[in-house]
Amino acid sequence: MKKNLFALLVVLMLGWAAYASFFVAPTENTMGVIQRIFYLHMPSAIVAFCAFLVTFVANLLYVFRRQQRWDWLAVSAAEVGLAYITVVLITGPIWAHPVWGIWWTWDARLTSTFVLWLLYISYLLLRTLIEDPHRRALASAVYGIFAFLDVPLVHMSIRWWRTQHPQPVLMGGPGTGLDSRMKIVLLYSFIALLSLMIFLVRQRYELEAMRGQADVLRREAEAA
């Protein structure tokens, strides 16, 4: 019952976030209507980083404690984070084309984000290559710890290097900033997408736990 109520709440939050993105936030003076994709693009990137942080922490906990539940959490968060970073890579070119006149450029932010996507694709592929659950968990945990190093690189790339990607609008220095209504809509969109991430990770974790328990029963049956 609680799960259903939370799912309904997430749906309502996402619906209101979409409405606010189109009808509450003001139209940006320079880019016009296309700028409204910002309320999906930027929060999705932040939520993806949050999911990958969960994977990173869970991987560390597995390395030190060797408990399967941390491996289940790590892969669950990694899959959800990968979905969010895919949204970022799709919405970015849609926004860029009418503004920059190009779909893609290999600048620091875009390239490091694409590399991040490849790293977590590889993380999930690695898990399919190892049958033993404990070896699989350890190998993917070590790899996942390494893969997370790209997250701060993506986040800081537009601060460390001058790139095609615009400078951050929040805490980006002189001349940057958002209209107060834009900030509210951005914050609400982030909360809605973060709530969806929590719901998806929880659902995926339950599935992985059942899969792990079924694998144990299968091995016990084979041994018997």
Side-chain angles (χ1 to χ4, degrees), residues 37 40-46 48-49 52 81-97 100 102-121 150 154 165:
I37 204 170
L40 174 63
H41 179 75
M42 182 177 176
S44 293
I46 300 173
F49 294 162
F52 293 146
L82 183 62
Y84 274 93
I85 208 67
T86 302
V87 171
V88 174
L89 289 172
I90 292 173
T91 56
I94 294 173
W95 185 5
H97 188 258
W100 297 347
I102 55 174
W103 293 100
W104 183 268
T105 181
W106 295 99
D107 83 335
R109 166 58 68 88
L110 277 67
T111 302
S112 57
T113 303
F114 181 64
V115 169
L116 184 65
W117 183 79
L118 291 176
L119 285 170
Y120 280 92
I121 285 283
D150 193 39
V154 173
H165 192 284

Side-chain angles (χ1 to χ4, degrees), residues 48-50 52-53 116 119-120 147-156:
F49 294 162
C50 292
F52 293 146
L53 177 61
L116 184 65
L119 285 170
Y120 280 92
F148 183 77
L149 297 177
D150 193 39
V151 171
L153 179 63
V154 173
H155 176 69
M156 296 301 296

Side-chain angles (χ1 to χ4, degrees), residues 10-216:
V10 170
V11 170
L12 293 175
M13 291 175 67
L14 290 171
W16 176 251
Y19 174 84
S21 299
F22 284 102
F23 301 108
V24 176
T27 301
E28 205 272 336
N29 292 330
T30 304
M31 291 178 281
V33 175
I34 190 62
Q35 184 270 343
R36 296 184 185 278
I37 204 170
F38 166 74
Y39 304 106
L40 174 63
H41 179 75
M42 182 177 176
S44 293
I46 300 173
V47 173
F49 294 162
C50 292
F52 293 146
L53 177 61
V54 172
T55 298
F56 174 70
V57 173
N59 283 331
L60 284 175
L61 288 171
Y62 180 82
V63 168
F64 289 108
R65 298 185 179 180
R66 303 300 173 91
Q67 296 173 338
Q68 286 298 113
R69 58 175 179 166
W70 298 119
D71 178 59
W72 300 340
L73 178 59
V75 66
S76 302
E79 286 190 4
V80 175
L82 183 62
Y84 274 93
I85 208 67
T86 302
V87 171
V88 174
L89 289 172
I90 292 173
T91 56
I94 294 173
W95 185 5
H97 188 258
V99 177
W100 297 347
I102 55 174
W103 293 100
W104 183 268
T105 181
W106 295 99
D107 83 335
R109 166 58 68 88
L110 277 67
T111 302
S112 57
T113 303
F114 181 64
V115 169
L116 184 65
W117 183 79
L118 291 176
L119 285 170
Y120 280 92
I121 285 283
S122 301
Y123 172 86
L124 298 178
L125 288 175
L126 174 64
R127 297 181 60 86
T128 67
L129 302 177
I130 306 174
E131 184 175 353
D132 180 78
H134 296 287
R135 289 182 58 243
R136 178 176 63 235
L138 182 59
S140 59
V142 172
Y143 177 86
I145 293 170
F146 162 77
F148 183 77
L149 297 177
D150 193 39
V151 171
L153 179 63
V154 173
H155 176 69
M156 296 301 296
S157 58
I158 55 177
R159 298 179 187 270
W160 290 342
W161 301 291
R162 295 186 62 183
T163 70
Q164 179 78 28
H165 192 284
Q167 294 297 304
V169 294
L170 298 176
M171 297 180 292
T176 61
L178 287 175
D179 176 271
S180 58
R181 286 176 294 171
M182 289 181 173
K183 287 182 181 178
I184 292 172
V185 174
L186 178 65
L187 177 61
Y188 190 84
S189 297
F190 167 71
I191 293 172
L193 290 170
L194 182 65
S195 300
L196 177 62
M197 184 208 83
I198 293 170
F199 176 77
L200 293 175
V201 169
R202 179 179 176 180
Q203 293 297 106
R204 182 63 182 82
Y205 177 86
E206 291 179 0
L207 175 62
E208 192 66 24
M210 288 190 292
R211 181 180 295 173
Q213 292 164 4
D215 188 61
V216 170

